[in-house]
Amino acid sequence: MSYDDIVTYFIEPPPTPISPPTLPQTPARRLRDAVEPIATQGWWSRPASEQHATLGIGFFDAYVWGRAAALGTPTASVVVATFGVFEPAMLTAVYERAVASASRDDILAARAAGAIASLGSIVSDDEAAAVADPLLAALGTLDGMGRPLFSALRELPMASTAAGRLWRAAELVREHRGDGHLAACVAEGLTAIDSNILTELWLDFAIGEYSGTRGFGPDRVAAAVARLEGREWVADGALTEAGRTVRDRVEAATDASEAALVAALGDECESIIANAEAIAERVMSARAFPHDPRKRAAG
């Protein structure tokens, strides 16, 4: 799949706009959604895709190896565990193919170069610094316990440019919340596919619409839905009241895992969210991130 295909399928706005899901308006959730388009420029942007192409790596392989490379060159089982929500056999095959195609240094350099080029064309140094500097200061104070992807990413060298610092700050917020979200799912006793189905229905996707992008085929999805129906969490292709309560509880626990970050940002939190959101809108206007608001909220 070429990058132009990625644009056609994922990034170009559809003829009929997709209604945004109703989401909690907590600072932790709004911060996460504000930085999501910024954090993902290491794979969604055209410059990143062009960098990966020089290594002979496609879109999804670059996404997987690029995120995992913060951990070093882990075994596939470690990648499956830390990513959490992908079908294990699929993710293992993609990861092992990508590792065989490009070195760790090369994939890290390619994704950084692409992300920095993309953001550098969209924001000024002052705009980037207004978000990056307070975020990085707050993120540096956080405890890394139970946060493998966040902690590994925090150990990588910091870019010297304002755009690079903005990208890294946004990535750190994303991985910090992602690590916390997986812990919340585990605490609820959810499997990877359970988590995907509850989230896709919570965000108004059809059953399997989002889970399929994580490598789970129709048979696996149907079996998982049957289990969730047996627990009275899903009925008639939608969350029941009990199922929504479970997913809301996961969201609340995920937000709670971000309490230290929100507290560290203090009075600056709201202005950071507003500034990041303004940048994110420009990223989307530049056709460098999907316009589906459900995808943005799902991560």
Side-chain angles (χ1 to χ4, degrees), residues 48-137:
S49 180
E50 291 171 348
Q51 290 286 332
H52 298 143
T54 67
L55 302 177
I57 293 183
F59 175 81
F60 191 59
D61 292 38
Y63 160 78
V64 172
W65 185 200
R67 278 186 73 203
L71 298 161
T73 308
T75 62
S77 62
V78 171
V79 177
V80 168
T82 52
F83 281 35
V85 291
F86 289 89
E87 198 285 318
M90 180 277 292
L91 191 64
T92 294
V94 170
Y95 173 69
E96 291 180 344
R97 180 176 66 226
V99 169
S101 301
S103 71
R104 177 178 185 256
D105 287 347
D106 285 347
I107 191 66
L108 288 174
R111 74 196 303 264
I116 292 168
S118 179
L119 290 171
S121 70
I122 293 170
V123 299
S124 70
D125 287 352
D126 287 346
E127 290 169 327
V131 175
D133 292 349
L135 270 182
L136 289 172

Side-chain angles (χ1 to χ4, degrees), residues 96-284:
E96 291 180 344
R97 180 176 66 226
V99 169
S101 301
S103 71
R104 177 178 185 256
D105 287 347
D106 285 347
I107 191 66
L108 288 174
R111 74 196 303 264
I116 292 168
S118 179
L119 290 171
S121 70
I122 293 170
V123 299
S124 70
D125 287 352
D126 287 346
E127 290 169 327
V131 175
D133 292 349
L135 270 182
L136 289 172
L139 289 159
T141 69
L142 301 183
D143 185 353
M145 187 181 79
R147 313 268 186 174
L149 284 169
F150 167 76
S151 297
L153 186 62
R154 191 164 55 171
E155 291 299 308
L156 293 181
M158 181 62 65
S160 60
T161 64
R165 294 195 305 274
L166 171 63
W167 172 60
R168 177 56 49 78
E171 273 202 305
L172 285 166
V173 172
R174 185 181 199 271
E175 298 294 18
H176 190 269
R177 185 178 177 93
D179 287 338
H181 179 66
L182 287 184
C185 290
V186 170
E188 284 291 341
L190 303 177
T191 65
I193 194 167
D194 294 340
S195 300
N196 279 299
I197 291 170
L198 291 181
T199 291
E200 69 188 352
L201 294 180
W202 190 70
L203 293 173
D204 300 326
F205 284 106
I207 285 178
E209 186 179 357
Y210 187 69
S211 299
T213 68
R214 302 298 185 91
F216 293 101
D219 290 346
R220 296 280 297 279
V221 170
V225 168
R227 290 196 307 273
L228 295 173
E229 288 173 338
R231 301 179 76 170
E232 299 185 345
W233 289 359
V234 173
D236 300 321
L239 292 178
T240 63
E241 183 176 348
R244 187 165 296 278
T245 295
V246 171
R247 185 54 182 78
D248 286 346
R249 198 160 58 224
V250 168
E251 181 73 7
T254 304
D255 275 357
S257 79
E258 299 296 278
L261 174 57
V262 172
L265 293 173
D267 293 341
E268 292 185 278
C269 188
E270 289 300 325
S271 64
I272 291 167
I273 292 171
N275 290 336
E277 178 62 35
I279 294 171
E281 289 300 319
R282 285 156 65 182
V283 168
M284 289 190 289

